[in-house]
Amino acid sequence: MTSTAQASTTGARAAHPEHLSHVIFIAAAAAMGGFLFGYDSAVINGAVEAIRDRYDIGSTALAQVIAIALIGCAIGAATAGRIADRIGRIRCMQIAAALFTVSAVGSALPFALWDLAFWRVVGGFAIGMASVIGPAYIAEVAPAAYRGRLGSFQQAAIVVGIAVSQLVNWGILNAADGDQRGELLGLEAWQVMLGVMVVPAVLYGLLSFAIPESPRFLISVGKRERAREVLAEVEGDGVDLDARVAEIESAMRREHKSSFKDLLGGSLLFKPIVWVGIGLSVFQQFVGINVAFYYSATLWQSVGVDPTESFFYSFTTSIINIVGTVIAMIFVDRVGRRPLALIGSVGMLLGLALEAWAFSYDLVDGRLPATQGWVALVAAHVFVLFFALSWGVVVWVMLGEMFPNKIRAAALGVAASAQWIANWAITASFPSLADWNLSATYVIYTVFAALSIPFVLKFVKETKGKSLEEMG
């Protein structure tokens, strides 16, 4: 690295933009895709039992309808990077917003089970795009000194979206007198739950017109002066803007458009860094976190909690999720990514083990015994808290920054796709596994929480405080 590049990198890392509130607005607007990601992912929790009843389907078919959106997520995540490199990050966000909107309308007004499944795939494609574009855009726009905290906006938006969806579901259920199929606004309550997502979807689309394009994309298409203006907006006039543009141009000259072929290497198919990204994604899902958001109402009802209370517990879990995410946002740039991941793994291991123990007891009059019931409830909140303050934020931050420039887009797409495939595997298998043995199901999740500890210790490198150009 030349002395000029070193100086500009240092300047970028130390940059303190005069208009920090503007930088925060840009990151928050981009993270609106994360809000929709969380909302769309969790809103189905309020419709699970109604869908089962309306279409008279068993656990296996129900799981496929719930999980099929994740196939769309995987496809959206795999293609978003290439789309963004061709037409820009902002245009990609606008496409995702449009897909979220039509998916919400279609899901609220299905005329058959397959129709509902189709619109969930459309929404899933939008989620997959948002899961890639949000962290990548924020990483490219944010000054290095703030990148961890601004990058964590994506996860913060996801957990707020989850919480808002559970609160809206709870409110709609109460308005429908506790009946998911009760009539409301001329529709069944669960249809209203799915249709409300139109509001944030339209807002996401509008916000995408109010934020600038990524300077890296602008430079890639020859818009050097516009890129300089955007860098001035986000890094401040105190930074040597010409040097920053030159640094980015130099980094881009050393690379070529990333493709799947660039990820290949060695006897293990992918390059080691790509496997680390895949591993982070898979472990994030295999601890069973999305069971807490897709099936929590059904889970609590299965151990004797009445529907309205089960929806309330789902909401309190979402609040704990937000608290944990705020903790992570405070410490991700202070403590670092690896220490937070390790702390989270230990906490998740404890929470999941206690849940497995509580669910091993037989139901008494359709409910868990009092002690085990309270342990299960508290342990579920402990698990979500430690996930949120660690893996929930750390994985998204690291996926946005851990890969070398020349493979970042393609590698992020593969890692995010792996995350959605793992999410699908957990989501599709849970109803059948729970019918088989709920306690054993949680033992499986506990094992993966335990395995995540040696994985982080051996394979994950710290990225705190490094500029994207220093990632290889």
Side-chain angles (χ1 to χ4, degrees):
M1 184 182 287
T2 65
S3 59
T4 301
Q6 287 174 330
S8 64
T9 298
T10 302
R13 187 182 298 127
H16 293 281
E18 293 82 355
H19 308 294
L20 181 56
S21 60
H22 182 57
V23 180
I24 291 172
F25 169 77
I26 291 171
M32 189 67 190
F35 177 91
L36 283 158
F37 167 1
Y39 194 101
D40 191 62
S41 297
V43 71
I44 196 67
N45 186 26
V48 171
E49 293 306 310
I51 292 170
R52 187 201 299 269
D53 182 62
R54 174 164 173 169
Y55 297 105
D56 192 24
I57 54 177
S59 294
T60 301
L62 176 68
Q64 295 309 315
V65 173
I66 305 305
I68 197 169
L70 302 171
I71 302 300
C73 291
I75 297 171
T79 58
R82 301 297 297 161
I83 294 172
D85 283 344
R86 288 179 180 274
I87 65 174
R89 283 58 166 154
I90 299 300
R91 289 285 178 267
C92 207
M93 291 180 197
Q94 290 163 355
I95 291 171
L99 292 175
F100 274 124
T101 302
V102 298
S103 170
V105 174
S107 298
L109 303 171
F111 52 81
L113 187 63
W114 69 264
D115 182 50
L116 174 62
F118 171 77
W119 291 115
R120 285 194 47 73
V121 172
V122 172
F125 190 91
I127 294 174
M129 292 181 72
S131 74
V132 171
I133 296 306
Y137 172 85
I138 294 171
E140 291 179 348
V141 171
Y146 298 97
R147 198 176 60 239
R149 280 164 286 183
L150 293 175
S152 64
F153 275 29
Q154 172 79 358
Q155 180 64 18
I158 291 171
V159 299
V160 170
I162 290 170
V164 170
S165 74
Q166 303 301 343
L167 181 59
V168 169
N169 284 356
W170 183 56
I172 291 173
L173 185 68
N174 277 286
D177 297 323
D179 183 2
Q180 292 182 25
R181 297 198 61 189
E183 185 174 338
L184 199 64
L185 302 177
L187 301 171
E188 293 185 7
W190 68 273
Q191 294 176 275
V192 178
M193 293 176 187
L194 300 183
V196 168
M197 195 179 70
V198 167
V199 176
V202 171
L203 178 60
Y204 180 39
L206 294 175
L207 286 172
S208 69
F209 287 96
I211 58 177
E213 183 55 86
S214 157
R216 284 172 176 78
F217 174 75
L218 291 169
I219 289 172
S220 75
V221 294
K223 297 182 178 180
R224 193 175 188 275
E225 284 306 309
R226 178 56 185 151
R228 193 178 184 281
E229 292 172 6
V230 174
L231 287 168
E233 282 185 50
V234 299
E235 295 191 1
D237 296 329
V239 173
D240 187 338
L241 296 175
D242 289 329
R244 284 290 291 128
V245 171
E247 178 188 16
I248 295 171
E249 286 180 324
S250 175
M252 294 177 70
R253 279 195 297 271
R254 295 195 302 269
E255 64 191 55
H256 58 282
K257 293 292 184 182
S258 59
S259 67
F260 185 80
K261 188 191 307 181
D262 297 318
L263 308 182
L264 305 180
S267 59
L268 296 177
L269 183 63
F270 291 125
K271 294 178 178 179
I273 189 65
V274 179
W275 280 117
V276 174
I278 292 171
L280 285 168
S281 292
V282 169
F283 274 116
Q284 189 198 50
Q285 296 303 315
F286 275 14
V287 295
I289 185 59
N290 280 308
V291 168
F293 300 118
Y294 295 156
Y295 295 113
S296 59
T298 298
L299 173 65
W300 294 123
Q301 289 172 47
S302 74
V303 293
V305 177
D306 72 59
T308 303
E309 284 186 0
S310 72
F311 273 60
F312 179 71
Y313 291 153
S314 297
F315 175 61
T316 60
T317 302
S318 299
I319 296 301
I320 293 295
N321 198 14
I322 293 174
V323 171
T325 301
V326 171
I327 293 172
M329 292 174 69
I330 292 171
F331 289 104
V332 68
D333 279 330
R334 298 179 185 179
V335 175
R337 286 62 159 154
R338 288 179 82 243
L340 278 183
L342 291 170
I343 291 168
S345 292
V346 173
M348 290 190 298
L349 174 62
L350 176 63
L352 288 167
L354 287 173
E355 283 191 88
W357 171 81
F359 291 137
S360 68
Y361 282 75
D362 293 331
L363 301 185
V364 177
D365 296 326
R367 301 177 68 96
L368 281 175
T371 299
Q372 284 71 30
W374 279 108
V375 168
L377 186 60
V378 172
H381 286 73
V382 167
F383 163 59
V384 170
L385 174 65
F386 276 93
F387 174 87
L389 65 80
S390 60
W391 285 76
V393 166
V394 165
V395 170
W396 288 113
V397 171
M398 292 201 73
L399 290 183
E401 64 187 12
M402 67 184 285
F403 300 113
N405 275 330
K406 68 179 182 179
I407 66 168
R408 179 171 294 116
L412 181 54
V414 167
S417 295
Q419 185 172 123
W420 291 116
I421 292 170
N423 190 337
W424 172 83
I426 292 298
T427 304
S429 64
F430 177 76
S432 297
L433 285 174
D435 286 347
W436 164 64
N437 190 315
L438 185 57
S439 178
T441 301
Y442 273 84
V443 169
I444 294 170
Y445 303 153
T446 304
V447 169
F448 281 109
L451 291 175
S452 70
I453 298 172
F455 174 79
V456 171
L457 289 172
K458 184 171 178 61
F459 298 112
V460 177
K461 295 182 179 179
E462 184 60 72
T463 57
K464 182 184 75 169
K466 295 181 179 180
S467 75
L468 295 184
E469 286 67 41
E470 290 179 278
M471 301 297 177

